[in-house]
Amino acid sequence: MPAAAMKKELREQLKRQLKAERQLVIAGFHEDGKPEKLLRGLRQSVDGILAQAWQAAGLPANTALVGVGGYGRGELFPHSDVDLLILLGQAPDKDTRGKLEELVQLLWDLGLEIGSSIRTVDECMTESKADITVQTSLLEARLVCGQQELFNELQYRYDAAMDPQAFFHAKVLEMRQRHAKYEDTAFSLEPNCKESPGGMRDLQVILWVAKAAGLASSWRTLATSNLITQTEAKQLMEKERAFKDIRVRLHLHAGRREDRLVFDVQTALADSLGLQATGSGAHMRRASEYLMQRYYWAAKTVTQLNTILLQNIEERLFPKSGQALPINERFNDLNGFIDISADDVFEKTPSAMLEIFLLMTEHPALIGMTARTTRALWHERFKIDSAFRHDPLNRMLFMRILQAPVGIIHALRRMNDLSVLGRYLPNFRKIVGQMQHDLFHVYTVDQHILMVVRNMRRFTMPEHAHEYPFCSQLMANFPQPWVLYLGALFHDIAKGRGGDHSKLGTVDAANFCHDHGVSAEDTELVVFLVENHLCMSQVAQKQDLSDPDVIEAFAKVVKDERHLTALYLLTVADIRGTSPKVWNAWKGKLLEDLYRITLRVLGGEPHSADRELKNRQQEALATLRLYGLPSDAHEALWQQLDVAYFLRHDASDIAWQTRALYDRLNSDKPVVKCRLAPIGEGLQIAVYIRDQPDLFARICGYFDRKNFSILDAKIHTTRHGYALDTFLVTEQSFAKSYRDIISLIEHELGELLLSQTALQAPAKGRLSRLSRSFPIQPTVDLRPDERGQYYLLSVAANDRTGLLYAIANVLTKYKINLHTAKIMTLGERVEDVFLVDGSALNNARLQLQLETDLLEALTV
């Protein structure tokens, strides 16, 4: 048979064999669910294929095929690379190079994802010395086939060149850089089960540095070397098996290499593991939530044991002879780490499990805990039981931690990492690792709560005063800020239980305050904050702050300045703690405006429309005088404006628009003026034109095509029939070239409005991947306002490109007049509120049809 035909036959035979064996192994996994068996089976199958291909290649005797990396470790995931080193005794000649090329091509033709390198032993040593990745892959080298003596030479020279101390430093630095890439948290809503903190890679780092130091090569040998206990070894093996199981299922579900637990696959993975949803409607807990909570608990355990092990290994590699400096009879300062004075400190004195965190707030120079202290605390945490929680000493210690002048957030985070916080507050333990599928929280509930406490703390720190100066000013004058930390700690603690978490959380907060001796006055404030933590945000972002009734109603809720200030600070900290994308300067302005207006009302100054009107007009006139305009420059325009205009615009906006329209009051052409928004973020755009029924839709269509996000819209019609509309818009590139963008908007939008072209049909933009995974049921709520003068139209839906333009088109179709629009985007969710009127709203049939069409527009 010709050589070419023989090669083809071999290729087809090996391909069939590989496919059949692979299918058999995967079928076995679907039956028994044992990931180790699958990983071993796939590796053995590939070993056999490689051996046959190697034999057929006819390479010289002094060569070897070596598995490295994960494949060298003896594991092969369904779609992982097969990492190979073709080891040569000497530089290849022309004939050998040809055979090597044919071998590599054959392996690729078989469908193997090969990661290959061809090196001599000398070249391996040179590359290993220069690249920590190569050095790590060779650490797990395994001879697949070929010359044993050559492989032994590589092993001998590699071991001789290994510097365990340098390797340890390099791998720890690499781990820290990897953790930073994943934001130093195991609690990402879409973690990478291999690379994220607390994932498989952290487990591998432990074994790598231990093996490089000659200390151990497995979890069992780590235990026999007294680096971990038998219990810890068992825990690590269990977590490793769980991660392998998840990663195998990810690969099989995706049909490719996929290590991320993205939203798209979480439900399918949960189903494959037999997890089921519980509850129904708003109180349903998805199967994926149970899956992810399990994952987070496993990652949390790995993070702690990783810390303990690396500290233990570091102590073996870098022994220190520092003297222990007594802190008290239970704890010492050992080389900057807090250390227990005896191994049984926590066993004999359980309250020391809280005392240690208090001491770390009182001694900020302490870097952390020694490995034996962390281990002892980790193992004794189960002593934090009902009796522990009822002990007056422990209650006093916990309160002192919350009241500490520095280090509070570090203490709470350490307590959460070590499961001390969850055991002391059992209801907090329930929300550790609990996901939030509301499309704007990007943290689990426990991490969000700690983020809100952190934000509160930053208001007290001078080095962060530049971030939110007004909040820092208020916090500086707020007595007992720890009361606010308590409110933050409990504000979301009841999530996931079913029912209103704001109401349920008040019971937990009240019980805690009663048990910990908090005064009746402070208890009332904490309970108030938990119950009303969403109130200020909803009023500021969804209601008309120019309406005296709205302000009066809110003032009745907060009652006094202390409650108002506390709620304002918690609201800002809470919104900032949901996601970096949710907070913006416009939300900040709305909240601050509501705070200041309400404070005046609480101070005895009624929210009078007449007084507010005069104040704004006087302030606007003062600004106009600075422009050098005639003293009567404002009169012609102001005579055409009603009270609502002045109450809905700041004095600076009134002055800016008056100046822009000073000599264009009866202009036949549209007037479009644009400027940087005074709030410091986005652009403010004013449009002045003879009113037309489709104006709002036309403007929204333009912004949509430019990918501008509308944060706010104020729609006004003058007495002589002109529209004076103001928009606040944002877009990522504004800060880089705002002058050019301003000129472009003023020209293009003016030309568009002048041309009177027909409205384009709204395009149904694609939903984001997150929105597709967790779709919102669109809602439309249309009801008269309290005076019966206008209607409030509220809509909620998944955010997408073109959504506001689609809404505007429907309003235009039914000749609905728009007065204000509050556009609230919460991550991937929009909740918009419009103040409208129109004859169609007085006809029940047309109103029903309007709501139906709006729902259709909101649905993708």
Side-chain angles (χ1 to χ4, degrees), residues 636-642 645 649 657 660-661 663-672 686-693 695-696 699 714-726 753-754 817-819:
L637 174 63
W638 288 15
Q639 287 173 3
Q640 305 299 331
L641 303 174
D642 59 19
Y645 169 85
H649 291 78
Q657 293 174 18
L661 301 176
D663 54 356
R664 305 183 188 181
L665 190 62
N666 296 300
S667 173
D668 292 329
K669 293 183 178 180
V671 178
V672 179
V687 176
Y688 182 75
I689 187 175
R690 288 190 182 278
D691 200 12
Q692 49 190 265
L695 180 61
F696 180 70
I699 296 172
K714 296 183 176 71
I715 313 300
H716 190 79
T717 304
T718 66
R719 292 190 173 97
H720 67 314
Y722 275 74
L724 178 50
D725 301 344
T726 311
L753 297 177
L754 188 63
N817 303 313
L818 184 66
H819 296 274

Side-chain angles (χ1 to χ4, degrees), residues 528-556:
F528 165 83
L529 290 174
V530 174
E531 183 175 5
N532 295 282
H533 69 272
L534 300 174
C535 174
M536 192 169 192
S537 173
Q538 291 172 346
V539 172
Q541 298 182 79
K542 293 187 176 182
Q543 298 190 39
D544 185 359
L545 301 189
S546 67
D547 186 341
D549 292 342
V550 170
I551 304 302
E552 291 289 346
F554 180 67
K556 288 179 181 177

Side-chain angles (χ1 to χ4, degrees), residues 300 353-354 357 377 381 384 414-425:
K300 187 178 179 183
M353 286 187 280
L354 289 181
F357 297 103
L377 179 56
R381 70 190 188 279
I384 303 177
R414 285 186 180 115
M415 290 169 74
N416 189 39
D417 290 342
L418 289 163
S419 297
V420 171
L421 185 59
R423 299 202 72 85
Y424 188 75
L425 300 175

Side-chain angles (χ1 to χ4, degrees), residues 32-105:
D32 59 33
K34 295 180 179 179
E36 296 92 345
K37 181 180 175 183
L38 175 137
L39 300 178
R40 186 173 58 253
L42 291 179
R43 187 264 300 168
Q44 290 172 342
S45 171
V46 171
D47 280 358
I49 296 295
L50 291 176
Q52 295 178 66
W54 181 264
Q55 184 177 7
L59 289 165
N62 62 337
T63 56
L65 185 62
V66 179
V68 293
Y71 177 62
R73 192 164 56 245
E75 298 175 344
L76 187 61
F77 285 86
H79 293 282
S80 287
D81 292 347
V82 179
D83 294 322
L84 296 174
L85 166 64
I86 299 177
L87 190 61
L88 306 178
Q90 60 190 33
D93 56 23
K94 182 177 179 181
D95 180 58
T96 302
R97 279 198 299 270
K99 291 179 178 180
L100 288 171
E101 289 172 1
E102 286 187 5
L103 173 64
V104 172
Q105 184 61 53

Side-chain angles (χ1 to χ4, degrees), residues 615-645:
N615 290 341
R616 294 194 185 188
Q617 287 180 338
Q618 289 173 2
E619 190 177 339
L621 287 172
T623 303
L624 285 170
R625 284 194 288 271
L626 297 176
Y627 294 148
L629 297 178
S631 58
D632 61 350
H634 65 285
E635 291 181 357
L637 174 63
W638 288 15
Q639 287 173 3
Q640 305 299 331
L641 303 174
D642 59 19
V643 172
Y645 169 85

